[in-house]
Amino acid sequence: MNETAPIQKFGIGARMARLEDDRLLRGQGRYVDDLTLPDQLIAYVFRSPFAHGRIRALDVNAAREAPGVVSVLTHDEAAFLGLKPLTDRSGLKNADGSPIAPVMTPQLAVDAVRFVGQPVALIVAHTREQARDAAELIELDVEEAPVVIGARAALEPGAPELHALAPGNLSYDWEIGDAAAVAGAFEAAAHVTRLPVQVQRIVANAMEPRAILARYDGESERWEIHTVSQGVHGMRGQLAQQLGVAPDRLRVMTPDVGGGFGMKLMVHPEYALIAAAAKDLGRAIKWTADRSESFLSDAQAREMDVIVEGAFDEGGKVLAIRADVVSNLGAYYSQFGASIHAPFSAGLLGSIYRVPMMHSRVRGAFSNTVPTDAYRGAGRPEINYVTERLFDQAAHELGLDAAEIRRRNLLTAADMPYSTMGGLHFDSGDCVAHLEMALEKAGYGEREARRAAALEEGKAYGMGVCYYMERTGGGPAESTRVQIQPAGRAQIAIGTQSNGQGHHTAWAQILHEKLGIDPSTVQLAEGDSDALAVGGGTGGSRSLIMAHRVLYLAADQIIEKGKDIAARKLEADVADIEFSPREGGQFRIAGTDRAMDLFAAAAAAQEVLGEEALTGEGAISERTATYPNGAHVVEVAVDLETGALEILRYVIVDDFGNILNPLLVEGQVHGGIAQGIGQALMEAAVLDPQTGQPLSGSYMDYAMPRAADMPMFDLTLSQAAPCQTNPMGVKGCGEAGSVGATPAVVLAALDALRPHGVEDLQTPLTPLRLWTALREGKIPEQG
């Protein structure tokens, strides 16, 4: 028998089906709203129907007397319970080193409301229906004030001001790069391209809404909290801060999660409210958002307004890039909202092109809108979109082919390692080779023939070429405990949190590779803050980058302990014991047939080591990032009569370094592309500019991409440039699809419509927008 077969079938690199799917597809998933605690109550949040105004009166007396109601909390009661407001967690400073505007977010509105959907009161009742009925009895009298919803508009002199602590609605004024050097490069440039780019606001729209179930145990003086999250340790710390207690007073648990996309990393105002009310009432309380609440209160994303400029020589090589960015933070800070378009992404301006100099000024603006924060990519999709739009526009103005300007400016394998002015340190990559591979697969040389054929059918054909780069992984810390149990099972406790990525499968494959155990024997125990002292959670495509390191450490520790046990039981020196994962996890005396397997060693752990199971632990603190990159080439056809756009073909060549499981990676890429296509073509959180009322507050008005909108994806996973900064050689893949998709689709649409007189497009590219652009040569308002 070929003894390498088990590792090839299930180990690193294997195309292994997901272990979790059988349970989930059978309806055996367990989400927060599925949980029930004895004698629990139900909460409902009364929210502001006004976008801006002073609260003249708030009368909740009738609600308190309503049938089934146990309690109604307003800000006064919340303050009495000792709740501290939510604060900015970004640690950002202004360019001059001064603090950013010290705006805080109350759990419940104090003296004013500042966006439609802001929590005003919490109703706790025996049933959800009773709580909702009671909310109808609340009388809120607001002296309405003018609103401002746009980022640049919010910074205009005379704009309606939201906070006395943020004069002129300015949160921060931050910059990166060398403004003087960049200005010199622009003065010497043969050509300058200047382009305004707007990135619209979108809603996260996780399949599972936000939810929390909390109880307080007076005897232990601890909270038991079940909530949606992307990491229980971060959630615990944030809740503890708001409750004014030490983190060890909370046990936070997260079961299955139906999508997170960054939004579920954030502590929203409802969570500490529910926890405080549970302690006050001595009863467990559950709150689950409905879909309307999700549209009104989940942290939203993406919105920024950019003026980007590029300086080029006569041959199309970039000399410098600069950008003026205004980020729309919403009415208050979300957890990391202030960082998203500043340190989280501004340094990526210029992407993985050879950009000698760059400078970006980023300002954050408060507006009468839902607060914004991280969403699949956390600013990197936006800045890649801006960069790709700039290079494409420069190519158009210089008369260069879209692929050629990229060939002339992309980094090559010979350039690696390479450091940028934005603070990025690329360790590996072969960008031009990956671009050429994608162009060949897409039939780039045939595009003009395809354009002519499409025109005969009344359609405008275009091909978009995009090369993206994304920063993933790194920090702050991660830990694991792996137990090999005598009963023939292995259990992994780890600080990451699956939101649908397939962590159970991935971590089982790593243990199989290292220890030789059957993946079906591996159990994943995640989402319990009491299980581990430290956990980094899931976000920024960090999970595999961090998890494989700690799993490697734990496996190595298990092997060393197992050798000690085997030496005792087999009556040999430890130095003579070999371990072979390729034999299913066997400890053997070298050169003999005397052996014992991993589970037999675990059974002897109590006798030899005084441990109930054979246990290994691993912990790291590591902030080194990885830089996945790749080419997206998209073909589209736009109906010249209706403006309807169809994606004909989609080719991707991705560099994620070494691949743990191609099937999992493909799923992540496909999902990210779907979200990027949604941003490009249809998704938009639209508000009335006069009243701040949401005009796309449900799926009746907010368009989401469907399967019928997606083409088949032609995806190649190149492993030609493994990452040099982690043992497995991997680069994060979870967000990459969303980073490349939006620019690729938009550039394809521009390529299609430029021959018809359309010089610019702004997302989303709805049929109305494209139809209007074709007929009037201008960009209509969102619609």
Side-chain angles (χ1 to χ4, degrees):
M1 185 180 76
N2 180 358
E3 70 172 16
T4 67
I7 299 298
Q8 290 175 342
K9 184 176 181 181
F10 298 122
I12 293 173
R15 193 179 179 83
M16 177 179 159
R18 289 170 31 127
L19 296 170
E20 45 272 270
D21 282 355
D22 181 77
R23 174 178 64 87
L24 295 172
L25 291 171
R26 292 177 187 274
Q28 296 170 0
R30 202 158 165 265
Y31 301 87
V32 172
D33 196 54
D34 295 324
L35 307 179
T36 300
L37 291 175
D39 206 25
Q40 75 179 20
L41 300 170
I42 302 298
Y44 180 77
V45 179
F46 173 77
R47 301 180 183 279
S48 171
F50 307 101
H52 196 197
R54 181 178 65 85
I55 298 176
R56 287 188 290 217
L58 174 62
D59 187 348
V60 299
N61 290 325
R64 285 179 171 143
E65 299 300 320
V69 171
V70 178
S71 177
V72 178
L73 299 181
T74 66
H75 171 73
D76 290 342
E77 287 79 23
F80 178 77
L81 296 177
L83 283 179
K84 295 176 170 48
L86 290 82
T87 59
D88 164 62
R89 304 290 294 182
S90 69
L92 190 66
K93 300 286 187 183
N94 288 310
D96 62 6
S98 62
I100 65 175
V103 171
M104 295 190 179
T105 308
Q107 285 83 11
L108 296 170
V110 185
D111 54 0
V113 292
R114 295 178 172 89
F115 68 95
V116 173
Q118 182 172 355
V120 175
L122 181 77
I123 304 99
V124 182
H126 291 283
T127 70
R128 182 174 178 82
E129 291 72 22
Q130 290 171 334
R132 290 183 71 112
D133 288 346
E136 295 292 333
L137 302 176
I138 293 176
E139 295 183 10
L140 174 65
D141 182 13
V142 170
E143 180 183 349
E144 289 192 72
V147 305
V148 60
I149 64 171
R152 285 196 186 273
L155 298 184
E156 289 292 327
E161 194 167 272
L162 275 72
H163 304 281
L165 293 173
N169 297 317
L170 181 67
S171 159
Y172 64 82
D173 191 339
W174 181 91
E175 64 181 78
I176 188 171
D178 188 330
V182 167
F186 271 81
E187 290 178 7
H191 180 82
V192 172
T193 291
R194 186 177 191 273
L195 186 69
V197 180
Q198 287 85 46
V199 181
Q200 82 272 26
R201 173 182 293 252
I202 59 175
V203 179
N205 282 313
M207 186 179 294
E208 176 202 21
R210 291 189 295 115
I212 182 171
L213 171 59
R215 64 178 290 272
Y216 182 79
D217 179 30
E219 186 174 337
S220 66
E221 298 186 329
R222 294 189 81 207
W223 278 270
E224 172 191 334
I225 295 174
H226 305 264
T227 189
V228 299
S229 82
Q230 292 178 227
V232 290
H233 293 85
M235 186 67 67
R236 180 185 65 177
Q238 291 295 298
L239 286 173
Q241 184 271 327
Q242 292 178 54
L243 292 166
V245 300
D248 62 8
R249 294 274 305 279
L250 287 77
R251 181 184 185 185
V252 179
M253 290 168 281
T254 293
D256 290 317
V257 179
F261 311 122
M263 181 269 291
K264 288 180 182 171
L265 274 170
M266 312 312 159
V267 178
H268 289 70
E270 299 88 355
Y271 301 166
L273 264 177
I274 299 299
K279 179 185 178 185
D280 182 54
L281 297 175
R283 300 273 293 275
I285 301 175
K286 180 194 285 186
W287 170 76
T288 302
D290 60 30
R291 188 56 62 181
S292 293
E293 285 184 286
S294 294
F295 273 95
L296 293 175
S297 63
D298 290 358
Q300 296 180 355
R302 298 283 198 248
E303 186 179 355
M304 71 177 193
D305 188 299
V306 184
I307 298 171
V308 62
E309 296 176 288
F312 296 85
D313 69 15
E314 61 280 355
K317 288 188 176 181
V318 66
L319 304 175
I321 299 177
R322 62 187 174 195
D324 176 65
V325 180
V326 182
S327 174
N328 195 333
L329 303 178
Y332 297 93
Y333 294 117
S334 181
Q335 191 163 323
F336 299 111
S339 287
I340 299 303
H341 293 140
F344 279 18
S345 62
L348 278 72
L349 181 67
S351 185
I352 201 163
Y353 295 100
R354 193 179 295 101
V355 181
M357 287 173 279
M358 60 80 71
H359 178 260
S360 185
R361 180 194 185 193
V362 188
R363 289 172 289 168
F366 291 112
S367 68
N368 296 113
T369 59
V370 177
T372 58
D373 213 309
Y375 171 75
R376 201 164 191 167
R380 280 100 67 192
E382 296 96 298
I383 208 68
N384 269 271
Y385 176 63
V386 168
T387 298
E388 289 300 301
R389 286 293 310 270
L390 175 68
F391 274 92
D392 193 78
Q393 183 66 25
H396 176 61
E397 293 173 359
L398 291 166
L400 288 174
D401 177 82
E404 183 57 31
I405 198 169
R406 288 166 173 81
R407 290 188 187 102
R408 296 182 186 185
N409 289 284
L410 280 170
L411 295 174
T412 68
D415 293 313
M416 301 300 172
Y418 186 92
S419 296
T420 76
M421 186 174 281
L424 312 184
H425 305 287
F426 304 132
D427 62 278
S428 58
D430 200 356
C431 307
V432 174
H434 294 144
L435 174 65
E436 297 296 356
M437 191 184 306
L439 294 173
E440 181 178 357
K441 290 175 71 70
Y444 190 69
E446 303 166 16
R447 64 193 185 284
E448 293 307 323
R450 296 174 189 173
R451 193 189 308 274
L455 192 57
E456 292 181 2
E457 299 178 3
K459 296 181 179 180
Y461 167 93
M463 183 179 283
V465 178
C466 158
Y467 203 94
Y468 80 91
M469 178 274 297
E470 131 97 319
R471 177 175 57 195
T472 68
E478 194 51 81
S479 69
T480 189
R481 181 182 300 110
V482 177
Q483 290 186 325
I484 308 301
Q485 300 167 341
R489 305 202 70 81
Q491 185 179 78
I492 302 172
I494 195 164
T496 59
Q497 178 68 51
S498 180
N499 306 149
Q501 297 93 335
H503 288 182
H504 186 181
T505 307
W507 306 164
Q509 284 184 259
I510 292 173
L511 283 196
H512 178 72
E513 180 83 19
K514 294 289 287 184
L515 300 177
I517 56 180
D518 186 334
S520 67
T521 67
V522 176
Q523 298 173 325
L524 178 60
E526 60 181 0
D528 185 346
S529 64
D530 275 8
L532 295 167
V534 174
T538 292
S541 300
R542 67 180 296 281
S543 292
L544 176 59
I545 296 163
M546 301 294 280
H548 87 268
R549 287 181 165 108
V550 295
L551 290 169
Y552 277 14
L553 292 173
D556 289 343
Q557 195 176 99
I558 286 168
I559 292 168
E560 291 308 307
K561 287 183 176 181
K563 286 181 177 181
D564 286 340
I565 294 169
R568 286 275 297 274
K569 301 300 290 184
L570 298 175
E571 299 178 336
D573 287 334
V574 172
D576 293 330
I577 301 296
E578 298 176 339
F579 179 72
S580 174
R582 295 179 179 274
E583 296 179 89
Q586 291 283 326
F587 294 97
R588 182 184 304 279
I589 300 176
T592 76
D593 60 358
R594 297 183 61 202
M596 68 188 303
D597 68 23
L598 195 63
F599 294 110
Q606 180 70 53
E607 174 191 346
V608 178
L609 303 177
E611 298 179 3
E612 293 183 1
L614 184 51
T615 302
E617 296 182 344
I620 61 166
S621 178
E622 173 60 65
R623 293 187 175 275
T624 303
T626 73
Y627 298 95
N629 59 91
H632 288 223
V633 182
V634 178
E635 295 177 81
V636 304
V638 179
D639 190 307
L640 294 170
E641 291 298 320
T642 66
L645 182 148
E646 178 186 4
I647 300 176
L648 304 174
R649 192 175 179 202
Y650 204 121
V651 173
I652 316 105
V653 176
D654 275 323
D655 170 12
F656 298 131
N658 291 331
I659 303 296
L660 171 60
N661 183 329
L663 190 65
L664 297 184
V665 172
E666 289 165 8
Q668 288 297 294
V669 173
H670 293 174
I673 290 174
Q675 287 177 296
I677 289 174
Q679 171 111 32
L681 298 184
M682 60 197 73
E683 292 191 55
V686 183
L687 298 100
D688 186 304
Q690 301 303 317
T691 65
Q693 291 293 326
L695 302 179
S696 56
S698 76
Y699 290 139
M700 293 293 290
D701 304 294
Y702 187 101
M704 290 280 286
R706 304 182 182 186
D709 299 311
M710 299 296 115
M712 296 301 292
F713 300 120
D714 182 346
L715 171 60
T716 300
L717 299 175
S718 171
Q719 299 185 62
C723 184
Q724 302 299 304
T725 60
N726 62 70
M728 194 181 285
V730 294
K731 305 173 187 179
C733 71
E735 297 157 309
S738 65
V739 178
T742 302
V745 172
V746 173
L747 296 181
L750 268 170
D751 183 59
L753 298 190
R754 275 189 179 124
H756 301 273
V758 177
E759 291 297 326
D760 188 24
L761 291 170
Q762 301 291 351
T763 54
L765 306 184
T766 61
L768 173 61
R769 282 193 160 198
L770 298 181
W771 183 87
T772 304
L774 281 164
R775 276 149 185 77
E776 301 179 9
K778 66 179 182 180
I779 310 303
E781 295 302 314
Q782 286 184 352

